Amino acid sequence: MKWALYIPGNESSQVNAMPKTTVLITIDGLDPEYLDVCDAPNLREMAKRGFHVTAKCMMPSVTNVNNVSVVTGKYPTEHGISSNYRLVRETGEEIYMESGEYVLAETFFQRASEMGATTILSTSKDKLRTLLSDGATVSISSERAPDWAVDAVGEPPPIYSLEVNGWAIRAATEAMKRSPADIVYISTTDFAMHTYAPEEPESQQHISILDNAIGDLVDAHPDVTLLLTADHGMSPKSRMVVLDDILSRHGIAAQAVPIIKDRYVVHHNNLGGCMFIYMDAGQANRVEETAQILTETTGVERVYSRAEAVEELKLNYERIGDLVVTGDSETVFGPKELSDSWNDTGAGSGLRSHASPYEQDVPIIGYNGDFNGFEFAENRDLGRYVFERVLK
């Protein structure tokens, strides 16, 4: 990798002109432990020449919530995406939160479009293209690859592969060659992190794929400002708790909604460390009783009322359950139909998942930009940086 670095306020040290493109990369499931254990020379050099901090993601620690937080710079309270999957209280309909119509706050793609700036969105998962692309000049996903990207980068690897994330990064690199862009956003998939612990050789292979693709992007476009983060971390899980069973045994009519749920079930089987509880009609007077029962359940760490979830987790009041339940570090919540595949402790399942507070630690790496005086404490701060420093 050919290194170039712009240092604001020190023109004698300026190797390139002021960066013209800001590239933001969200590596799905990149728990900081992967960077601790795996060799990533390009990212390490970027961090050395720029900065590297451990920050926090939004809760629940799932993909849609955090990608929207990054592209809006806002909390779920404001942008409205509080889960991957939602029960609509008024109609009883259950929906995947993967359409831009559900995003309530302005994204930097929309702001850039209004200002006449050009943007590129490149994703591994097509659900993120459909969720985030409103206002983007160019949008690409590995699952709906345009012909020019296939010609330039090759056929996209399967979504359940180590190689697909490298393809998404390289497609963005090619898109930048075809048409200069002011802002580029790249988001990957976390199949590798769900499947392999940091110390396993496949993890090193995957991190090397990412690191090489990012290094090549900067080689091809050396004047970019680059910011990298993760949407959430990842943890091994050894216990599954079926909350519906707990409530049923106490005669409570309610529905537990798995907020991690999406169409990529090979990743996690819709098992995650956070659930929304919706009380059935006529059960509103049992909310406190239900909260107490769940609080005393093994594997449950915290039960929030709707008001507490808005205040403490910054979730959108209209789009969450009557209760928000989070698990301890070992626990996921799951549907009854999967319970037979686990023994009493879930030992031997090999499941790695997220959605709880234990997957909130994420890295942020910044390179070749004017970061002086700007605090990066949460992954949403990447979007805040774009709004405050780039699209000003």
Side-chain angles (χ1 to χ4, degrees):
M1 182 172 183
K2 307 176 186 71
W3 292 99
L5 185 64
Y6 169 73
I7 302 176
N10 186 355
E11 303 308 321
S12 65
S13 68
Q14 184 175 331
V15 179
N16 290 304
M18 172 68 83
K20 297 180 175 64
T21 301
T22 301
V23 177
L24 297 91
I25 305 176
T26 297
I27 303 298
D28 198 345
L30 185 65
D31 192 278
E33 190 176 357
Y34 285 94
L35 294 181
D36 292 340
V37 172
C38 299
D39 187 31
N42 290 321
L43 291 179
R44 291 187 192 283
E45 188 64 21
M46 287 181 188
K48 179 180 177 182
R49 292 172 177 255
F51 74 87
H52 178 193
V53 298
T54 298
K56 292 291 184 182
C57 77
M58 307 295 103
M59 273 293 292
S61 52
V62 295
T63 295
N64 295 19
V65 173
N66 281 278
N67 273 271
V68 176
S69 293
V70 171
V71 302
T72 63
K74 304 290 187 183
Y75 291 112
T77 315
E78 298 174 84
H79 64 61
I81 307 300
S82 294
S83 57
N84 289 351
Y85 189 77
R86 176 192 171 204
L87 186 150
V88 181
R89 186 181 299 273
E90 296 77 12
T91 65
E93 179 187 14
E94 295 185 38
I95 57 175
Y96 293 99
M97 299 293 284
E98 55 188 35
S99 170
E101 68 182 292
Y102 303 133
V103 181
L104 304 179
E106 183 184 39
T107 70
F108 54 59
F109 294 114
Q110 294 166 329
R111 173 73 64 84
S113 179
E114 291 176 359
M115 295 175 63
T118 58
T119 56
I120 294 169
L121 168 67
S122 183
T123 70
S124 298
K125 297 174 179 174
D126 197 59
K127 75 164 185 175
L128 290 176
R129 181 189 62 82
T130 61
L131 179 64
L132 306 176
S133 62
D134 186 18
T137 311
V138 176
S139 61
I140 311 156
S141 84
S142 73
E143 297 182 285
R144 297 288 187 273
D147 290 342
W148 66 261
V150 174
D151 291 341
V153 188
E155 286 288 342
I159 195 66
Y160 300 120
S161 70
L162 300 182
E163 294 79 15
V164 67
N165 291 334
W167 188 95
I169 297 168
R170 294 186 185 283
T173 303
E174 291 300 321
M176 293 164 68
K177 293 177 182 177
R178 287 168 55 91
S179 178
D182 299 290
I183 299 167
V184 178
Y185 185 65
I186 304 168
S187 187
T188 67
T189 181
D190 57 355
F191 167 73
M193 286 77 164
H194 275 288
T195 309
Y196 304 108
E199 65 274 8
E200 295 187 68
E202 291 87 352
S203 290
Q204 178 60 69
Q205 182 183 351
H206 179 238
I207 295 300
S208 292
I209 289 169
L210 294 171
D211 190 66
N212 290 335
I214 293 168
D216 290 345
L217 183 154
V218 176
D219 274 351
H221 307 281
D223 64 342
V224 300
T225 288
L226 189 141
L227 283 160
L228 178 144
T229 191
D231 53 352
H232 55 76
M234 193 72 66
S235 299
K237 304 296 181 179
S238 60
R239 178 192 297 114
M240 185 176 76
V241 176
V242 182
L243 297 181
D244 286 309
D245 278 359
I246 305 296
L247 300 177
S248 179
R249 287 202 297 268
H250 287 84
I252 295 171
Q255 182 175 352
V257 176
I259 56 85
I260 197 174
K261 184 174 180 177
D262 63 14
R263 304 179 197 275
Y264 301 90
V265 293
V266 171
H267 287 45
H268 46 60
N269 260 334
N270 296 328
L271 300 173
C274 182
M275 265 198 170
F276 294 166
I277 306 297
Y278 290 81
M279 306 299 292
D280 285 5
Q283 297 282 292
N285 62 336
R286 303 188 70 183
V287 172
E288 291 187 10
E289 175 191 358
T290 302
Q292 185 60 38
I293 290 168
L294 293 174
T295 299
E296 295 170 357
T297 298
T298 300
V300 171
E301 181 157 295
R302 178 74 190 273
V303 180
Y304 299 84
S305 68
R306 286 177 83 186
E308 288 171 337
V310 172
E311 176 67 24
E312 298 183 42
L313 303 181
K314 298 180 173 61
L315 299 182
N316 185 283
Y317 185 85
E318 299 300 326
R319 294 181 172 183
I320 60 177
D322 298 291
L323 298 170
V324 175
V325 183
T326 60
D328 63 22
S329 62
E330 300 176 352
T331 298
V332 289
F333 305 122
K336 184 176 178 60
E337 56 266 28
L338 290 179
S339 60
D340 290 342
S341 65
W342 289 59
N343 60 27
D344 290 341
T345 64
S349 69
L351 179 70
R352 296 176 55 78
S353 196
H354 52 96
S356 86
Y358 291 94
E359 294 81 44
Q360 277 195 275
D361 282 354
V362 294
I364 297 180
I365 293 173
Y367 167 73
N368 202 31
D370 177 11
F371 306 126
N372 289 341
F374 197 94
E375 181 182 12
F376 291 93
E378 299 171 321
N379 58 4
R380 75 177 185 96
D381 290 329
L382 273 68
R384 194 168 61 84
Y385 177 87
V386 171
F387 278 103
E388 296 179 14
R389 293 282 176 95
V390 181
L391 298 175
K392 54 185 179 180

